[in-house]
Amino acid sequence: MIKIEKQLLTLNQDIAGQEIGIPVYRLSPETADAQRTVYIQSAVHAAEMQGSAVILKLIQKLQECHLNANFVLVPNCNPFGRTQRAGEYLQGRFDATNGNNWNRFYHYDEQQIEAFFSTLDLPKITEAFAQQGSKNAMEDDIVFKLRLFLKQQLENKLESQWGVNTAQYLNSTLQNMAIEADLVLDLHTGPSSTRHIYSPNFLAEQATQFQIETVISIPEKFAGALDEASFTPLVKLAELFAKQGLTFEYRVQAYTVELGSQENICLEQAKMDADGILNYLQTHQFIDGFKPLPAKDVTITDLSQYRTLFSKYAGMVEYLAKPGQIVQKGQVLARVLNSLEFDTQEAIKEIVSPVSGIVILHYPSAAVQIGTQLFKIAAQ
Ligand SMILES: [Zn+2]
C-alpha cells in the first residue's frame, strides 16, 4: 500500500481575485521513510498534454508497485498558459503577453554554486572522502545543504523588491519542488512529433531505459530549462571538487521527455509511455515490483547532429515525411505551394532533406513563412 496526498497549490488568480491552482500529488511508501524523491511535471507548455495522461497512468500503476522513493507528480503545472487561447488552440508555449517561453526561466547561477562551495569544510570532507562508507554519508550531507541553499536562493529571487516576470515566478515555484528530487522528469511534446528524450551526455546510455526510440544527448550546460537547472548545480559542484583533487559522485538525474504531438491525448499510448518510465524507475531502484520490459532499439543522437531545417519559402505546405520516418539525403520532405505562381512552373517548391536521418518533428501548421522551423531531423 502507498500513501497519496493531494494538494491544490495556488499560483495564479484572475482579476476578480479568484485563485487558480495546480494539482500536486504526493505518493509515498505507507511504512518507512524513503530517502530519495522523484519529481515529475507535465504541460509547462500548456498545449503539450500527453504527459498529464501519463501522470494519471503513473498514479494508477505506482499503486501496484512497491515504492522506494517519494513521488511528487504535478500534471498541468502551468496555470497561466492553460488559460491563454488563440482561436481554437491553447497558446501554450509562450506567455501570450510578452512571448516568454514558459520553459526558459528556471534558476541557475554558477557564482552561487561557487559561493556555496566556499562555505564547505574541505579538510573535513577530504578526510571523509578517503573511505567509501563515510564518503557516501558526507556526499548526502553536502547534497542536503546544497538543496537548502538553492531553496534559499529561489526564495530571495521571489522576494526581491523588484519582483520577477510571470515565467520566472512559475518556474521558480515549480523548481522549489523539483530541488528535493534525485530524479526529475519534465514531460513535454513536440508540435507534430515522434517520441524523443533530451538527456545530458553523462546519462545518455541510461536514458535508453525509458524505451523511447531517440535520445538526444545534450551538453551539461544551462539554457533555462528545468532538466538543466536540476543537473547543472551538481555538475558544477563536482567540477569544483575535481579542482581540489576530490571526486564528488552524486548527480541529479534529469530529463525532458517529448511524448508525441501537442493538443493530443492518447490513453492507450499513455499506458506504454508510463511503462517506459516505470522501466527506468525499476532499473534504478526507485520502485520494485515492475516487470522490466524487453530491451528495445534506441538511437542516441548528439545535439550537434540534431538539425533544424528552416523553410526558404513562404506558402502552404504539404508534409510528406512523417515524424518517426527514416529519410535519405535528397529525399523530398515537403512541398510548398505559392498561389501567385499557380499558372507557372514555380507553383510548387520541393523541400529536400540535406541529410539522412530520422524525422523527429515538423511544424504543426500548413501555413509557413521564410525561416519557419519546418523539420527537425536526427542526422545519422
Ligand atoms: Zn515543450
Side-chain angles (χ1 to χ4, degrees):
M1 285 297 289
I2 63 175
K3 275 188 294 192
I4 303 181
E5 288 169 30
K6 180 166 55 176
Q7 177 198 6
L8 199 64
L9 177 65
T10 300
L11 262 176
N12 190 6
Q13 50 187 210
D14 68 17
I15 57 167
Q18 178 70 45
E19 292 186 344
I20 305 173
I22 56 172
V24 178
Y25 293 87
R26 289 192 166 83
L27 280 60
S28 51
E30 182 100 87
T31 53
D33 279 348
Q35 298 296 315
R36 298 196 294 168
T37 297
V38 175
Y39 175 84
I40 305 177
Q41 69 176 32
S42 68
V44 74
H45 288 148
E48 303 176 0
M49 285 174 272
Q50 177 67 7
S52 301
V54 173
I55 287 179
L56 163 66
K57 291 294 173 194
L58 282 173
I59 289 172
Q60 293 168 347
K61 287 181 173 224
L62 283 170
Q63 296 181 63
E64 297 161 12
C65 299
H66 174 80
L67 306 192
N68 302 324
N70 302 309
F71 285 75
V72 181
L73 307 173
V74 191
N76 295 100
C77 70
N78 184 345
F80 305 96
R82 73 177 192 228
T83 54
Q84 294 178 339
R85 285 182 168 277
E88 293 166 336
Y89 298 101
L90 278 178
Q91 211 295 341
R93 190 171 175 77
F94 305 100
D95 184 335
T97 318
N98 52 25
N100 283 338
N101 186 323
W102 292 117
N103 189 33
R104 293 293 181 277
F105 288 86
Y106 291 95
H107 179 79
Y108 172 67
D109 183 339
E110 190 175 275
Q111 288 178 347
Q112 286 175 353
I113 305 300
E114 286 165 1
F116 170 76
F117 185 74
S118 70
T119 66
L120 297 175
D121 184 345
L122 278 182
K124 194 173 158 196
I125 290 170
T126 307
E127 196 180 317
F129 275 23
Q131 286 179 8
Q132 197 57 42
S134 55
K135 180 175 193 231
N136 290 345
M138 179 56 84
E139 283 204 355
D140 287 349
D141 184 54
I142 295 167
V143 170
F144 177 76
K145 285 178 179 150
L146 177 67
R147 285 179 175 150
L148 287 182
F149 175 85
L150 292 172
K151 275 178 165 272
Q152 188 60 53
Q153 302 306 319
L154 279 179
E155 246 166 66
N156 294 350
K157 186 169 176 173
L158 289 174
E159 284 171 7
S160 152
Q161 276 194 315
W162 294 98
V164 292
N165 73 43
T166 310
Q168 281 173 325
Y169 173 68
L170 170 68
N171 286 176
S172 301
T173 309
L174 297 171
Q175 191 175 352
N176 197 34
M177 292 189 278
I179 280 175
E180 306 278 353
D182 303 277
L183 170 64
V184 174
L185 300 182
D186 195 7
L187 306 183
H188 287 245
T189 77
S192 191
S193 175
T194 187
R195 280 164 171 71
H196 56 293
I197 181 165
Y198 288 97
S199 163
N201 291 329
F202 71 92
L203 295 175
E205 277 302 327
Q206 69 190 57
T208 60
Q209 292 148 3
F210 287 102
Q211 302 233 336
I212 289 171
E213 289 85 349
T214 306
V215 173
I216 314 279
S217 185
I218 62 173
E220 291 87 12
K221 294 211 175 87
F222 180 67
L226 178 62
D227 54 347
E228 298 156 348
S230 303
F231 61 69
T232 40
L234 277 305
V235 170
K236 177 67 187 170
L237 195 61
E239 271 174 35
L240 294 167
F241 273 114
K243 281 183 190 160
Q244 302 297 324
L246 293 168
T247 308
F248 183 81
E249 283 165 86
Y250 177 83
R251 296 285 185 283
V252 172
Q253 302 164 44
Y255 305 91
T256 295
V257 188
E258 305 276 348
L259 298 164
S261 304
Q262 64 191 18
E263 294 280 1
N264 184 56
I265 289 279
C266 174
L267 282 172
E268 200 53 41
Q269 182 67 55
K271 236 163 70 184
M272 292 185 267
D273 294 333
D275 280 348
I277 292 172
L278 292 165
N279 191 59
Y280 185 95
L281 293 170
Q282 172 78 41
T283 309
H284 296 276
Q285 290 98 44
F286 290 105
I287 57 168
D288 282 319
F290 179 77
K291 191 162 159 267
L293 302 174
K296 184 172 170 179
D297 275 350
V298 174
T299 309
I300 299 175
T301 300
D302 190 78
L303 185 65
S304 63
Q305 295 305 305
Y306 186 42
R307 307 294 302 273
T308 302
L309 178 63
F310 298 96
S311 182
K312 288 182 178 168
Y313 312 106
M316 299 164 284
V317 63
E318 177 191 18
Y319 299 100
L320 299 172
K322 303 300 175 204
Q325 189 178 328
I326 293 170
V327 294
Q328 304 303 320
K329 183 175 176 175
Q331 184 173 333
V332 178
L333 300 179
R335 293 190 281 240
V336 183
L337 282 60
N338 177 350
S339 55
L340 271 179
E341 302 289 346
F342 276 7
D343 55 347
T344 77
Q345 296 298 313
E346 302 296 310
I348 299 171
K349 300 280 193 192
E350 292 187 334
I351 308 273
V352 299
S353 182
V355 288
S356 298
I358 307 167
V359 171
I360 300 297
L361 57 87
H362 66 66
Y363 193 63
S365 167
V368 297
Q369 60 184 22
I370 295 170
T372 295
Q373 288 193 18
L374 262 192
F375 287 94
K376 289 188 93 168
I377 300 170
Q380 285 178 331

